[in-house]
Amino acid sequence: MKENNEVIKMKNVLVVGGGGREHAIIMKLAESKHVDKLYCTPGNAGISKYAECFNVSATDIDGVVALAKEIKPDMVVVAPDDPLVMGMVDALQAEGFMTFGPKANAAIIEGSKVFSKELMKKYNIPTAFYEVFTESEKAIAYLKKQNSYPAVIKADGLALGKGVIIAQNEEEAVQAVHEMIDNLKFGKSSARIVIEEFLTGPEVSVLSFTDGKTIVPMISSMDHKRALDGDKGLNTGGMGTLSPNPYYTEEVAKECMEKIFIPTMNAMNDEGRTFEGCLYFGLMLTPKGAKVIEYNCRFGDPETQVVLPMLDADLYEIFEAVYNHELDKVDIKWHDGSCACVVMASGGYPESYPKGIEMNGFDEKGQVEGCFVYHAGTKLSEDGKFLTNGGRVIGVTAKGETLQKALDNAYGGVSKIHFDNAHYRKDIGQRALKALD
Ligand code: AMP
Ligand code: GLY
């Protein structure tokens, strides 16, 4: 620090993960007045233009701890669910590193649906009615007795976002139960299942910063989970997002703060599992009020891609405040206008798809003018070309004074980028625009 208290960029940060969410976190940290050098592991082609990348996998706890000891960052941000649930933050803190992300005993809020459902029941947090099963005969007998479809069947543990089946009839429900419990479709994650009531209403994602004492909801967002236009096709990790979500009015926000956000933070404290990090609320605005569909113990992907560009504050300062339990001292503001993200995926996603296809239209940093292009599944060829390397390839993101302008800007970016068999939804934001009418 200089004598006149002028801040000089001197902090080095390691981000663990390698998708669009991590790219968005890195580009926001790059704006911080504190951050000097950014590292990422494993990163991707787009991230490598902003951060030095390493070959250590995001789930390799010993490897990440060893890497941190070598490069000595001032802070390590653990972004994906698996390493958080596996205890990477605990392992890093044990070596004295400042971290952002919950410890394993709090990450269980995403790691076990049974845990989260029991938490909500115990603390009266609104959610769908449910039962837990470990034996398929009992689960099937329950389904037959309820005889109510669609039925929602969820694997207890992490399942790459694919552990939720909405069964339209008894046949589909029985098949899902057998696949999960008897055939362990998601390994031990589906040895236990939750069967819950089917809820209806618009969905809203609300990410929040919390240090266990204060909870600050971020600007709301809307995901588009299905692969095809008109919300058809298979469920994916998310084909596009926008922010803010027009269904999330001030009145709904107040209700959620009082009945869901603060009670959840307090419940985790009461359980001796203080949550420090980004707590994600997947909400459904049902005719009977807002209910929790799911908790995530991390930034959502691709929600982060439309939330962080709207943040009018220093992300490094927020992360540091969460670690020091001083979140109440930070002024967190949001930009006016809207932000939209259109995911360009490989043809065939979310089923099988090719990798290694050359991409065109980028500048040397993997960007296009007027947009933030957050890379998810990309790599560089030996001669420096951008190649596809995953199902969701990039999230083309743009801001605008209105949602329509943000969407026009994002789709304008999409039209400049080409790779064979690229697949993207043409209707991101259409439902939200209708809600604004
Ligand atoms: P999740 O992986 O828990 O986010 O669930 C995936 C999607 O399934 C959610 O975004 C909802 O669209 C849907 N879903 C989950 N639980 C329910 C429910 N109880 N009622 C209706 N839809 C649900
Ligand atoms: N986009 C939903 C999630 O991150 O789980």
Side-chain angles (χ1 to χ4, degrees):
M1 208 73 61
K2 284 186 189 167
E3 266 176 38
N4 61 2
N5 270 346
E6 188 189 321
V7 178
I8 49 170
K9 285 178 165 282
M10 55 192 301
K11 302 292 186 192
N12 299 337
V13 184
L14 168 64
V15 176
V16 178
R21 162 185 55 205
E22 288 77 9
H23 198 178
I25 292 171
I26 279 170
M27 281 170 77
K28 196 72 194 178
L29 285 172
E31 290 174 15
S32 164
K33 65 180 186 229
H34 303 280
V35 173
D36 176 23
K37 196 154 172 43
L38 286 157
Y39 302 104
C40 187
T41 193
N44 60 40
I47 292 175
S48 72
K49 304 292 179 180
Y50 295 85
E52 184 180 344
C53 293
F54 298 88
N55 269 331
V56 182
S57 145
T59 50
D60 178 357
I61 295 189
D62 293 344
V64 168
V65 171
L67 176 65
K69 283 180 165 171
E70 190 187 316
I71 61 182
K72 300 187 175 56
D74 296 285
M75 179 189 290
V76 186
V77 179
V78 182
D81 44 5
D82 300 86
L84 290 166
V85 171
M86 288 159 63
M88 187 176 281
V89 164
D90 309 60
L92 287 161
Q93 287 190 0
E95 295 294 337
F97 290 101
M98 188 195 290
T99 50
F100 181 81
K103 298 192 195 88
N105 76 346
I108 192 174
I109 199 164
E110 174 171 3
S112 167
K113 296 232 190 274
V114 174
F115 171 85
S116 70
K117 295 298 289 190
E118 285 172 355
L119 185 86
M120 288 185 270
K121 192 176 191 177
K122 183 169 169 188
Y123 293 91
N124 272 321
I125 296 165
T127 190
F129 177 79
Y130 75 101
E131 293 284 340
V132 177
F133 297 94
T134 51
E135 292 168 45
S136 53
E137 302 85 71
K138 287 191 180 153
I140 291 165
Y142 173 79
L143 285 163
K144 288 191 172 161
K145 190 173 107 229
Q146 295 291 103
N147 193 27
S148 161
Y149 295 96
V152 183
I153 303 170
K154 299 186 171 182
D156 176 37
L158 297 181
L160 296 169
K162 295 178 186 154
V164 175
I165 302 289
I166 314 276
Q168 299 299 335
N169 51 46
E170 186 176 309
E171 192 188 339
E172 282 180 25
V174 168
Q175 188 189 343
V177 168
H178 280 310
E179 279 176 1
M180 287 199 196
I181 297 184
D182 299 330
N183 303 341
L184 295 179
K185 185 172 182 189
F186 302 108
K188 62 178 182 345
S189 282
S190 65
R192 221 165 31 150
I193 62 168
V194 171
I195 299 183
E196 71 179 29
E197 172 198 3
F198 180 75
L199 300 175
T200 54
E203 285 185 56
V204 183
S205 305
V206 180
L207 287 59
S208 69
F209 296 112
T210 176
D211 59 2
K213 292 196 314 192
T214 308
I215 184 159
V216 181
M218 301 183 214
I219 196 166
S220 62
S221 54
M222 180 191 282
D223 197 0
H224 295 69
K225 284 209 162 85
R226 301 293 200 95
L228 306 176
D229 284 10
D231 289 326
K232 303 221 162 61
L234 294 171
N235 249 327
T236 70
M239 292 299 293
T241 37
L242 55 89
S243 153
N245 184 323
Y247 291 100
Y248 194 71
T249 59
E250 271 182 37
E251 197 185 337
V252 176
K254 190 166 171 283
E255 171 195 339
C256 290
M257 193 68 180
E258 283 167 10
K259 297 196 173 144
I260 297 176
F261 305 158
I262 293 173
T264 301
M265 178 182 74
N266 291 340
M268 291 298 278
N269 287 335
D270 289 353
E271 294 294 307
R273 296 173 180 275
T274 296
F275 191 102
E276 297 149 289
C278 172
L279 180 54
Y280 167 129
F281 300 87
L283 305 168
M284 197 171 268
L285 308 183
T286 78
K288 291 186 186 155
K291 296 196 180 185
V292 177
I293 290 280
E294 64 162 347
Y295 292 116
N296 289 329
C297 65
R298 52 170 174 88
F299 284 99
D301 189 338
E303 284 89 343
T304 307
Q305 288 88 317
V306 290
V307 168
L308 289 186
M310 298 294 281
L311 176 64
D312 185 12
D314 190 309
L315 189 60
Y316 182 87
E317 286 179 6
I318 297 173
F319 285 173
E320 195 176 54
V322 168
Y323 183 79
N324 291 324
H325 302 109
E326 291 180 340
L327 188 57
D328 58 335
K329 300 203 175 110
V330 189
D331 190 16
I332 300 178
K333 294 205 200 83
W334 301 92
H335 292 294
D336 291 334
S338 284
C339 191
C341 169
V342 178
V343 170
M344 294 179 80
S346 300
Y349 173 78
E351 296 185 291
S352 61
Y353 50 82
K355 288 184 183 177
I357 296 175
E358 191 175 326
M359 308 174 71
N360 295 300
F362 296 133
D363 64 18
E364 69 284 359
K365 290 199 131 189
Q367 299 294 310
V368 295
E369 210 187 321
C371 294
F372 304 99
V373 180
Y374 297 123
H375 289 229
T378 63
K379 67 177 176 190
L380 289 176
S381 66
E382 275 175 17
D383 56 351
K385 295 198 179 90
F386 289 94
L387 306 177
T388 67
N389 193 36
R392 288 189 295 175
V393 178
I394 49 174
V396 184
T397 305
K399 292 206 276 190
E401 281 161 38
T402 60
L403 176 58
Q404 184 65 62
K405 283 192 181 148
L407 288 164
D408 290 346
N409 293 340
Y411 277 108
V414 168
S415 70
K416 293 183 193 147
I417 300 165
H418 302 281
F419 55 93
D420 283 348
N421 290 321
H423 163 64
Y424 60 91
R425 278 181 60 165
K426 317 276 187 302
D427 68 340
I428 298 302
Q430 291 307 314
R431 188 169 177 202
L433 286 173
K434 286 202 188 92
L436 287 168
D437 261 356

